[in-house]
């Protein structure tokens, strides 16, 4: 039997005492041994909580088991492919999280920002999204941006997420967050949600959120999702809550799950965002008395679908990589290639299959094959003469597999 929210059960109940029955069931769910209290009260003074029904337990088990499959698939890839895959996922995640806010950005724009060097003299508008992309890149680096421990840390993360944005009157005007009211407006100008007030309440709620994600008494996966609900419920800023909240969710998910899964969630939500907003709105219904279990189930379903899509891509491209590697040995013999030329081609194969864009700079090619740029250039030039490599850019100098190489390596 599908787990139903208290509000849905209430609307199904036509009895004259349905309000009393709703309150009794809410109390029973809240006090159940399988329920977790979240340490924060909603606007009705009821502490938020979630239960662990069968659906949530099964989804959680499936997600955690699938992590081993992802880890096994990733371990079969060479280093260049792994790095390219992570960068590709970061680019997609930034584009998707912007898309959810109705903000246009392109994969090429984000890729160029990650490759470009930050300069103090660079106009702010040209730096837009760079810090957000770098934050997501940090999820795959143990030395990346640390998890927030206090509300002040959340403000620092927000400043990086919104770097380059022209906030104008939407800039935070309180000590850390906003000091005035904010509304989330949906289609047709309908108010979907009102953020918590005043700023002292925001600080207190975010402190509770951080205690939750660091609690040893709540499973890390569940705590990360529940903390995401709290952040979006609080809505501590006038603008940028969605992007900041989804980054924090990815950051907290990267502890119990792989970085690859954490970097795939915004895309899954963007593909079916209506369900996300419905689940959030339903959780706010006063008839649910602070229970967010159905929201938790919805988010776990997003995680599950993100993992399935990720594994499909990994399996498909890993198989194509193995076939290309075998074909490359045949090309090596037929074209009398040197070992370094083969190495160059193999780097470009990995980029073609796993990177956001198939071309690689001469500098990165040289680094990947263990040469200086001057040392790599003759090998690349010879591959150009053989019609296996083509220059895609002169400044900076970038190369990709030529169509002939793609045909020989079954990549066309």
């Amino acid at each position: 039997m599908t787990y139903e929210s208290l509000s849905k059960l209430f609307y199904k109940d036509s009895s004259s005492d349905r309000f009393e029955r709703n309150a009794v069931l809410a109390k029973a769910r809240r006090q159940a041994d399988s329920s977790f209290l979240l340490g924060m009260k909603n606007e009705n003074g009821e502490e938020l909580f979630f239960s662990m029904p069968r659906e949530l337990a099964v989804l959680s088990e499936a997600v955690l088991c699938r992590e081993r499959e992802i880890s096994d698939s990733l371990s079969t890839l060479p280093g260049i492919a792994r790095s390219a895959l992570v960068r590709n996922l970061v680019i997609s995640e930034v584009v998707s999280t912007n898309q959810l806010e109705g903000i246009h950005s392109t994969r090429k724009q984000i890729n160029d920002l990650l490759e470009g060097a930050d300069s103090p003299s660079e106009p702010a508008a040209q730096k837009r999204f760079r810090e957000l992309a770098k934050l997501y890149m940090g999820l795959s680096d143990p030395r990346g941006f640390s998890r927030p421990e206090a509300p002040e840390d959340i403000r620092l993360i927000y400043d990086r997420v919104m770097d380059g944005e022209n906030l104008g009157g939407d800039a935070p005007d309180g000590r850390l967050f906003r000091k005035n009211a904010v509304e989330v407006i949906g289609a047709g100008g309908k108010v979907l949600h009102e953020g918590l007030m005043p700023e002292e309440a925001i600080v207190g709620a975010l402190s509770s959120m951080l205690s939750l994600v660091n609690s040893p008494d709540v499973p890390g996966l569940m705590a990360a999702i529940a903390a995401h609900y709290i952040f979006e419920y609080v809505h501590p800023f006038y603008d940028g809550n969605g992007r900041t909240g989804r980054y924090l969710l990815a950051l907290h998910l990267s502890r119990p799950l792989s970085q690859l899964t954490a970097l795939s969630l915004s895309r899954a939500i963007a593909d079916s965002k209506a369900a996300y907003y419905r689940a959030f709105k339903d959780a706010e219904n006063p008839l649910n008395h602070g229970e967010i279990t159905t929201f938790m189930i919805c988010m776990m379903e997003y995680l599950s679908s993100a993992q399935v899509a990720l594994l499909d891509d990994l399996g498909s491209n890993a198989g194509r990589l193995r076939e290309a590697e075998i074909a490359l040995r045949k090309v090596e013999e037929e074209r009398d290639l040197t070992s370094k030329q083969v190495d160059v081609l193999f780097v470009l194969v990995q980029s073609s299959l796993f990177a956001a864009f198939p071309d690689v700079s001469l500098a990165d090619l040289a680094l990947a094959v263990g040469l200086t740029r001057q040392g790599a250039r003759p090998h690349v030039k010879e591959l150009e003469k053989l019609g296996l490599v083509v220059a895609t850019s002169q400044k900076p100098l970038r190369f990709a597999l030529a169509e002939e190489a793609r045909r020989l390596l079954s990549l066309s």
Side-chain angles (χ1 to χ4, degrees):
M1 182 176 179
T2 302
Y3 190 85
E4 295 180 311
S5 66
L6 290 165
S7 59
K8 190 171 184 178
L9 292 172
F10 172 85
Y11 294 129
K12 285 183 174 181
D13 190 348
S14 59
S15 65
S16 59
D17 62 344
R18 58 181 183 165
F19 282 98
E20 290 81 359
R21 290 159 64 93
N22 172 258
V24 169
L25 181 54
K27 182 178 180 180
R29 285 188 176 183
R30 184 187 301 275
Q31 294 179 347
D33 290 340
S34 59
S35 293
F36 294 86
L37 302 179
L38 304 184
M40 175 197 152
K41 295 182 178 180
N42 62 18
E43 59 185 4
N44 298 318
E46 296 174 302
E47 186 173 2
L48 299 179
F49 75 98
F50 70 88
S51 300
M52 279 294 292
R54 180 181 60 188
E55 288 90 337
L56 194 53
V58 170
L59 277 168
S60 175
E61 177 73 6
V63 165
L64 292 173
C65 287
R66 212 173 280 122
E67 282 297 297
R68 178 172 293 180
E69 295 180 57
I70 293 172
S71 177
D72 290 345
S73 296
L74 189 63
S75 67
T76 66
L77 299 180
I80 299 297
R82 289 198 299 269
S83 299
L85 173 62
V86 169
R87 188 187 184 93
N88 193 356
L89 289 174
V90 166
I91 291 169
S92 294
E93 192 72 357
V94 173
V95 170
S96 295
T97 197
N98 286 337
Q99 177 189 340
L100 283 163
E101 302 304 309
I103 298 169
H104 178 69
S105 58
T106 67
R107 289 168 61 82
K108 185 177 187 308
Q109 178 185 12
I110 305 305
N111 186 64
D112 289 349
L113 285 169
L114 284 171
E115 290 194 345
D118 200 357
S119 168
S121 61
E122 184 181 25
Q126 294 182 19
K127 296 192 295 183
R128 193 182 184 204
F129 312 136
R130 175 178 286 142
E131 285 301 308
L132 177 58
K134 287 167 66 176
L135 281 170
Y136 276 109
M137 283 296 294
L139 295 180
S140 62
D141 185 352
R143 301 163 299 177
F145 200 80
S146 59
R147 292 176 178 83
E149 297 181 357
E152 289 80 1
D153 299 328
I154 293 176
R155 173 57 192 272
L156 292 175
I157 289 174
Y158 171 83
D159 289 341
R160 292 189 64 183
V161 168
M162 302 299 285
D163 186 51
E165 297 281 356
N166 182 15
L167 292 172
D170 287 335
D173 53 2
R175 184 178 69 86
L176 293 173
F177 307 107
R178 57 177 170 80
K179 64 180 182 181
N180 293 314
V182 67
E183 295 177 338
V184 180
I185 307 298
K190 184 178 180 181
V191 177
L192 299 179
H193 175 69
E194 295 181 6
L196 206 61
M197 281 284 289
E199 188 180 16
E200 290 77 11
I202 293 174
V203 172
L206 294 181
S207 296
S208 297
M209 181 195 83
L210 295 173
S211 296
L212 171 65
V213 292
N214 292 309
S215 172
D217 300 321
V218 183
L221 178 53
M222 300 299 146
I225 296 173
H228 176 66
Y229 177 85
I230 291 175
F231 183 87
E232 298 301 339
Y233 179 89
V234 172
H235 228 67
F237 304 102
Y238 295 114
D239 188 28
N241 294 284
R243 281 172 284 172
T244 305
R246 283 186 292 277
Y247 167 71
L248 286 171
L249 174 59
L251 181 65
H252 292 139
L253 284 174
S254 64
R255 180 182 289 171
L257 302 179
S258 66
Q259 284 81 13
L260 297 190
T261 298
L263 287 170
S264 304
L265 189 55
S266 288
R267 288 181 299 153
I269 295 174
D271 288 341
S272 182
K273 63 181 179 181
Y276 171 84
Y277 292 121
R278 281 198 305 270
F280 188 89
K281 186 172 178 58
D282 181 62
E284 281 194 291
N285 193 320
L287 292 168
N288 284 318
H289 300 277
E291 184 183 14
I292 65 167
T293 307
T294 53
F295 178 83
M296 304 282 290
I297 292 173
C298 176
M299 293 299 292
M300 287 294 295
E301 289 172 342
Y302 279 126
L303 276 173
S304 181
S305 65
Q307 287 180 315
V308 169
L310 178 62
L311 280 168
D312 284 346
D313 287 344
L314 271 172
S316 173
N317 287 330
R320 296 179 71 193
L321 179 63
R322 287 191 294 270
E323 292 174 2
E325 192 171 9
I326 293 170
L328 183 56
R329 299 307 168 194
K330 183 177 179 181
V331 173
E332 178 184 12
E333 294 178 6
E334 293 177 348
R335 301 297 177 95
D336 194 25
L337 302 180
T338 67
S339 62
K340 287 300 181 183
Q341 289 167 357
V342 171
D343 290 343
V344 167
L345 288 175
F346 191 51
V347 170
L348 293 175
V349 167
Q350 294 175 70
S351 181
S352 175
L353 289 172
F354 293 96
F357 297 93
D359 55 344
V360 180
S361 70
L362 178 61
D364 287 342
L365 271 176
L367 182 64
V369 301
L371 295 172
T372 63
R373 276 185 288 186
Q374 292 80 3
R377 187 67 184 95
H379 297 290
V380 177
K381 190 171 183 179
E382 182 61 27
L383 290 170
E384 283 188 281
K385 289 181 180 179
L386 292 171
L388 300 177
V389 165
V390 61
T392 60
S393 168
Q394 295 298 320
K395 291 184 178 181
L397 198 53
R398 301 179 67 87
F399 298 92
L401 292 174
E403 188 55 39
E404 173 66 5
R406 296 182 61 81
R407 182 186 67 79
L408 292 170
L409 300 175
S410 301
L411 295 174
S412 297

